[in-house]
Amino acid sequence: MSLSDQITNLLDSSTPFFIYLALFCIVFIETGILIAFFLPGDSILFAAGLLAATRSDTNVVILLLLIFLAAFLGDQVGYVLGRKYGRGYLERHTGPRITKMINRSENFYAKYGWSAVILARFYPWIRTFMPPIAGLGKMNYYKFLAANALGAALWGIGITLLGFYAASIPALKDSSRYIATFFVVLTILITVKNYWRARLDRRTPPTVTPR
């Protein structure tokens, strides 16, 4: 049995509660904890929408609400950690690639300010580092709260709905479950790839520039 078939069977046999819980945890961890920056949230959300469209026992409204809450609460946690522990929280995570992404996130925040919290949702990796950077920069809490809520709605609800309504397209309707399985497989492969790249980065010694 292929990996695709195994995942299809897993999705078919999973209860709605397991699907809700798994998606909530994945989205929350990716947005709230720096160690999970390698998770490809976009494809997970799109697959979740497709999955909800193919299962009569999965309520898309509940799914959207949980994804929104997970994305919102995840960013809130990241903001609080960044504000409380400062740069030391970011510098716990070493490696050339991670350092580069932190620098990119800081430049992104410096350039776009309040809007960066919303726009970062659509940039892999940056969306994980943006909340603690906003906290580190002492961004006004209520401004962050508003930007976080708007970003969670546009990203979490928006992409999930794209997947949900994509299943109603005649050309995709009969194969929507297979497309969902494809995105799940793709998510697993990307996660493994990014995880190993991050581990290799941590083992790579920093380069010393000769004076």
Side-chain angles (χ1 to χ4, degrees), residues 5 21 28 32 39 47-48 58 69 84 87 89-91 112 117 128 132 155 158 176 185 187-189:
D5 291 335
L21 179 63
F28 175 81
L39 290 173
T58 303
L69 287 175
K84 183 175 182 180
R87 181 158 293 279
Y89 176 64
L90 292 174
E91 292 178 349
Y112 294 105
V117 178
T128 303
W155 177 72
S176 56
V185 173
T187 295
I188 293 173
L189 294 177

Side-chain angles (χ1 to χ4, degrees), residues 159-194:
I159 294 181
T160 306
L161 283 177
L162 281 177
F164 181 79
Y165 286 113
S168 64
I169 299 174
L172 300 178
K173 188 172 183 180
D174 294 333
S175 56
S176 56
R177 181 160 298 187
Y178 297 103
I179 296 173
T181 301
F182 166 78
F183 274 99
V184 173
V185 173
L186 181 64
T187 295
I188 293 173
L189 294 177
I190 294 175
T191 300
V192 172
K193 176 187 173 183
N194 289 340

Side-chain angles (χ1 to χ4, degrees), residues 24-122:
F24 181 91
C25 291
I26 290 172
V27 174
F28 175 81
I29 291 172
E30 190 213 3
T31 56
I33 304 176
L34 292 185
I35 59 172
F37 57 85
F38 52 82
L39 290 173
D42 300 331
S43 57
I44 292 174
L45 295 179
F46 192 82
L50 284 170
L51 184 63
T54 62
R55 291 182 53 132
S56 58
D57 60 349
T58 303
N59 189 306
V60 69
V61 175
I62 295 176
L63 187 67
L64 292 173
L65 178 61
L66 289 174
I67 287 174
F68 170 81
L69 287 175
F72 176 80
L73 293 175
D75 266 25
Q76 289 298 122
V77 169
Y79 175 86
V80 171
L81 290 174
R83 185 158 186 143
K84 183 175 182 180
Y85 297 106
R87 181 158 293 279
Y89 176 64
L90 292 174
E91 292 178 349
R92 293 177 187 177
H93 307 271
T94 58
R97 186 172 177 84
I98 296 177
T99 301
K100 179 180 178 182
M101 291 309 302
I102 291 175
N103 292 335
R104 285 184 61 187
S105 300
E106 289 182 318
N107 292 335
F108 194 81
Y109 176 70
K111 182 177 181 181
Y112 294 105
W114 182 83
S115 301
V117 178
I118 302 171
L119 298 175
R121 290 282 189 179
F122 299 91

Side-chain angles (χ1 to χ4, degrees), residues 121-138:
R121 290 282 189 179
F122 299 91
Y123 289 85
W125 290 51
I126 291 181
R127 64 170 157 259
T128 303
F129 293 105
M130 186 55 62
I133 287 173
L136 175 65
K138 299 294 189 293

